[in-house]
Amino acid sequence: MRRLVRTWDRLVRRFLGIRPARPDGVLGYAVRRYRGRGIAVEGGASLRRGDLVLELHLDSRRLTEKTAGQSPHRRILWLRRTLLADLRALARAVESDPALAGAAGLWGMTVLHRGVDALGFAVAEPAAGFVGRLATWYMRGLLAAYHPEGTGRVAQRTEALVAREIFLPMERLRALTGPAGWERPSPAAESAQPEGPDGCTGSASGRRAT
């Protein structure tokens, strides 16, 4: 079953035309028109149906390969550094590519949404119905296929692993990644703890929040 899910994942990524944010990263993106019900962002630009977005995709295969054999704490630290580097790369791409400059921001749907608000992402429930349930089912399947503990890890956190929409307005992306040149993330980004590959957040001391 794992092999089947992983093969299907590769085919889906190829069909969607997902481009990597950078060669060594774990985030990919595709330019899309947003078809959801909208996301209100406090103090920022809201996302509306029909807006152009950079749709985010996590490369589960690369994440698994890069963190194989590491402790949960080291996986979390690696993921944090890699995500920030990916976001900086996306910021540079937006600045240099006119085709991306008109995007409202970064959007995605994920079950690993815990902690992303610290990076400036707004988190919202998708519209009730088939799409949200299908996304939850599919992403749980991916997590079970790629996580070292397989279905056991998913079974432990079924109630928490529910798909949510995440959205980062473009101005927040710029604030997150720092001033022009995008060489250094802001202090808030450096201390943020997004949900790790184990489906948990962590701190520099190695403590895990479940």
Side-chain angles (χ1 to χ4, degrees):
M1 180 60 73
R2 279 193 172 194
R3 180 176 297 179
L4 177 62
V5 173
R6 292 183 180 189
T7 299
W8 179 255
D9 182 40
R10 289 195 297 270
L11 292 175
V12 168
R13 294 179 65 85
R14 187 177 304 173
F15 175 76
L16 293 177
I18 298 170
R19 293 179 280 180
R22 60 190 183 95
D24 295 326
V26 294
L27 280 183
Y29 70 96
V31 181
R32 296 278 187 270
R33 290 287 175 186
Y34 175 65
R35 300 302 179 191
R37 61 179 179 178
I39 300 176
V41 179
E42 184 177 353
S46 297
L47 181 62
R48 297 177 176 83
R49 185 178 180 87
D51 282 350
L52 193 70
V53 293
L54 303 187
E55 184 180 85
L56 296 178
H57 294 267
L58 182 68
D59 190 335
S60 301
R61 179 188 61 81
R62 180 178 292 276
L63 177 60
T64 300
E65 290 175 351
K66 292 291 187 179
T67 59
Q70 295 185 9
S71 67
H73 172 54
R74 289 185 64 85
R75 285 198 294 267
I76 291 169
L77 292 179
W78 182 89
L79 180 60
R80 183 182 66 175
R81 290 193 299 267
T82 301
L83 288 176
L84 288 172
D86 289 348
L87 290 172
R88 290 198 295 272
L90 282 173
R92 289 193 296 269
V94 169
E95 290 298 297
S96 62
D97 188 346
L100 306 180
L106 312 181
W107 175 88
M109 189 175 290
T110 178
V111 295
L112 299 178
H113 45 77
R114 186 178 176 188
V116 300
D117 54 339
L119 293 174
F121 281 87
V123 181
E125 291 189 21
F130 174 74
V131 174
R133 292 194 298 271
L134 177 62
T136 295
W137 174 82
Y138 179 66
M139 292 174 191
R140 285 176 181 173
L142 287 179
L143 188 60
Y146 286 104
H147 194 279
E149 296 178 21
T151 56
R153 186 60 184 177
V154 175
Q156 293 173 17
R157 305 189 68 248
T158 299
E159 292 184 2
L161 295 174
V162 178
R164 293 289 184 266
E165 294 185 56
I166 61 173
F167 174 61
L168 183 69
M170 204 57 72
E171 66 269 19
R172 288 193 180 180
L173 174 64
R174 296 187 176 97
L176 174 70
T177 52
W182 317 106
E183 293 301 324
R184 184 172 181 80
S186 66
E190 287 280 22
S191 61
Q193 297 291 340
E195 192 163 20
D198 284 65
C200 64
T201 56
S203 68
S205 65
R207 190 180 59 139
R208 294 172 60 193
T210 56

